[in-house]
Amino acid sequence: MIDLLTAPFVEFAFMRRALAGCVALSASAAPVGVFLTLRRMSLMSEAMSHAILPGAAVGFLVAGLSLPAMTLGGLVAGLAVAMLSGAVARSTVLREDASLGAFYLLALAAGVLLISARGSSIDLLHILFGTVLALDDAALMLLGGIATVTLFALALAYRPLVLECVDPLFLRSVSRASAPVHFAFLGLVVLNLVGGFAALGTLLAVGLMLLPAVSARFWAADVTGLIPVAIALALASSTAGLLVSYYGDLPSGPAIVLTAGALYLASMLVGSRGGLLWRLMPARHLEA
């Protein structure tokens, strides 16, 4: 049994590289997903994952399937969409979710059009769904750097981030850190989606960010518990997904995200913090 779990990673370097990339992505994206869910911004990550597509498409048109060019383009496009949607929300009657929805739809359509006009359907599939089994040294360094920056930034901004999740009005009244922390957090979201894009593609990058974070809500009660549980679930999803992909001859990115989805369904059923089965069990009466 142990050989079945370890043999693919022992025998093949590409499996070890894929696992290393997923470990780095899990360590950084899952904590960001926890704060997204606490701030009720889960769907924003889905929008932002599409917003990076036109930048990645421009990088592809300029330099082909070049990771630095596509990463830089995606980062610029994602930050531009985030800042523009925030500016529109603060200067017009539109709320931020509505302006973000408009911008991300435009970005998604523009990105698909650019890639389709100059590339092939294979190139489009590569950008949309990623190639986690083809990570090279540059991609691993990118993912490791993103994880380092993310964890360091979250450690510095941990207290204002938690306070903004609990009582944003109070944070604004006692500190001027609210706006800088908010925009810095949006930057971390974009940065991790760009890293996820390198491994899982734009359409699946958000899966490893949100599904473990949502699943963790069924196992932990506060932020100090949610973050390590989300990271553990992301690591388990990545490892199990790679093994399912290897033995089942399936695409790796979808296998990882579907494994994370299976863990979410299991957590929803048997999670100790509000799982369905625990809710169906009769509550104990108080004893005298």
Side-chain angles (χ1 to χ4, degrees), residues 245-264:
S245 169
Y246 176 80
Y247 287 112
D249 194 21
L250 300 172
S252 300
I256 291 172
V257 176
L258 286 175
T259 303
L263 289 178
Y264 163 70

Side-chain angles (χ1 to χ4, degrees), residues 11-37:
E11 295 178 12
F12 300 104
F14 70 88
M15 289 291 290
R16 293 194 296 272
R17 288 176 176 273
L19 181 61
C22 288
V23 167
L25 187 60
S26 299
S28 60
V32 171
V34 168
F35 285 106
L36 279 173
T37 56

Side-chain angles (χ1 to χ4, degrees), residues 154-251:
L154 289 179
L156 286 178
Y158 180 79
R159 294 184 67 182
L161 275 175
V162 173
L163 188 56
E164 191 173 27
C165 294
V166 177
D167 194 343
L169 293 179
F170 176 75
L171 178 62
R172 293 174 190 172
S173 66
V174 301
S175 173
R176 295 181 179 179
S178 178
V181 167
H182 177 73
F183 284 109
F185 179 71
L186 291 181
L188 289 180
V189 173
V190 174
L191 191 62
N192 278 273
L193 288 174
V194 169
F197 152 77
L200 302 178
T202 57
L203 293 183
L204 298 177
V206 69
L208 204 57
M209 178 180 289
L210 283 186
L211 285 171
V214 174
S215 304
R217 295 295 298 272
F218 293 103
W219 298 104
D222 53 27
V223 181
T224 56
L226 286 170
I227 291 177
V229 172
I231 292 175
L233 290 172
L235 291 172
S237 302
S238 300
T239 306
L242 288 173
L243 289 172
V244 169
S245 169
Y246 176 80
Y247 287 112
D249 194 21
L250 300 172

Side-chain angles (χ1 to χ4, degrees), residues 25-51:
L25 187 60
S26 299
S28 60
V32 171
V34 168
F35 285 106
L36 279 173
T37 56
L38 290 176
R39 297 172 69 170
R40 296 176 176 85
M41 296 169 62
S42 301
L43 291 179
M44 176 193 169
S45 60
E46 175 67 21
M48 293 306 302
S49 70
H50 299 318

